[in-house]
């Protein structure tokens, strides 16, 4: 496998546990909002789009996926010669950080007076990446430095917005989301 493709593949693999939680939350979320309906100033703290069920099930899906990927590693590596990372503590910090980043963005959106679902181009595509990378860098620094070398990091920053826009448009077309972003 060429250098470019293997960099993209490793970036995708390493970030999968961070990609899945937000999409799982869209499918499985709902019910009680985390902020319990509370407001701060004239707006909700987080809004109805951040629920306990979405956050917990989203994080759980990312964690389970990471453990599954660990089992698939050897089967992928042997035929392709591709060396993909093995998740350790990152199996939890990636999905949890992704949900946290998404939540922080909602907090910011409510503070700036934006209603639930209001788009903030750029932030919407990268909030969960920044959350996942930050929490992982903080709690699993060695793993982070080993896996997210500069080329992989750059691949993540380019690849993620593209994937995010693509999956959200699909979710919108299938009627799972109210807005295509
Ligand atoms: N969701 C959830 N819990 C989360 C994140 C998402 O239940 N922690 C579900 C909600 O049903 C939410 C949907 O996934 O409406 C889409 O997520 P997102 O786009 O992040 O939320 P928005 O509704 O757009 O709200 P916000 O403006 O706060 O981003
Ligand atoms: Mg949204």
């Amino acid at each position: 496998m060429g250098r470019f493709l293997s960099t993209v593949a490793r970036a995708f693999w390493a970030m999968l546990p961070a990609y899945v939680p937000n999409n799982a939350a869209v499918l499985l979320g709902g019910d009680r909002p985390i902020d319990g309906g509370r407001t701060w100033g004239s707006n909700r703290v987080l809004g109805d789009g951040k629920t306990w069920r979405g956050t917990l099930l989203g994080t759980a899906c990312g964690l389970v996926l990471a453990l599954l990927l660990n089992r698939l590693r050897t089967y992928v590596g042997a035929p392709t010669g591709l060396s993909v990372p093995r998740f350790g503590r990152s199996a939890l910090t990636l999905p949890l950080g992704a949900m946290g980043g998404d939540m922080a963005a909602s907090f910011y959106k409510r503070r700036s007076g934006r209603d639930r679902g209001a788009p903030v181009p750029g932030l919407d595509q990268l909030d969960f990446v920044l959350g996942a990378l930050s929490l992982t860098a903080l709690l699993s620094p060695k793993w982070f430095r080993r896996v997210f070398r500069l080329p992989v990091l750059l691949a993540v920053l380019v690849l993620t917005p593209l994937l995010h826009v693509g999956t959200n448009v699909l979710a919108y077309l299938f009627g799972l989301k109210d807005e295509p972003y």
Side-chain angles (χ1 to χ4, degrees):
M1 201 183 281
R3 185 115 70 91
F4 176 74
L5 263 187
S6 74
T7 300
V8 171
R10 275 190 294 131
F12 182 63
W13 184 283
M15 286 304 283
L16 263 177
Y19 288 156
V20 163
N22 298 275
N23 297 298
V26 174
L27 295 175
L28 309 170
D31 264 0
R32 286 188 298 152
I34 293 176
D35 66 10
R38 278 183 284 273
T39 55
W40 191 22
S42 48
N43 297 309
R44 288 283 296 276
V45 177
L46 297 171
D48 282 331
K50 305 295 112 135
T51 69
W52 286 110
R53 200 171 76 200
T55 308
L56 291 176
L57 292 179
T59 304
C61 282
L63 175 67
V64 167
L65 179 67
L67 300 178
L68 196 72
L69 289 175
N70 278 349
R71 295 187 162 262
L72 293 177
R73 245 182 115 232
T74 44
Y75 301 106
V76 171
T80 58
L82 180 71
S83 132
V84 288
R86 188 184 178 287
F87 301 100
R89 211 174 304 159
S90 51
L92 183 62
T93 61
L94 287 167
L96 197 60
M99 295 263 81
D102 175 60
M103 209 173 289
S106 291
F107 181 78
Y108 162 76
K109 286 195 225 174
R110 301 301 92 83
R111 302 287 74 66
S112 56
R114 292 175 171 86
D115 287 333
R116 172 189 180 181
V120 183
L123 187 69
D124 283 330
Q125 286 74 42
L126 287 171
D127 53 9
F128 63 98
V129 183
L130 293 182
L133 293 180
S134 312
L135 194 67
T136 304
L138 198 71
L139 298 180
S140 197
K142 273 191 196 156
W143 188 90
F144 182 86
R145 279 198 298 273
R146 181 157 43 82
V147 173
F148 292 111
R149 295 185 189 286
L150 197 57
V152 173
L153 208 52
L154 288 177
V156 167
L157 293 179
V158 174
L159 190 67
T160 307
L162 297 177
L163 284 170
H164 189 261
V165 170
T167 52
N168 280 344
V169 167
L170 279 181
Y172 171 73
L173 291 177
F174 283 111
L176 301 170
K177 260 178 81 82
D178 294 336
E179 307 87 16
Y181 39 78

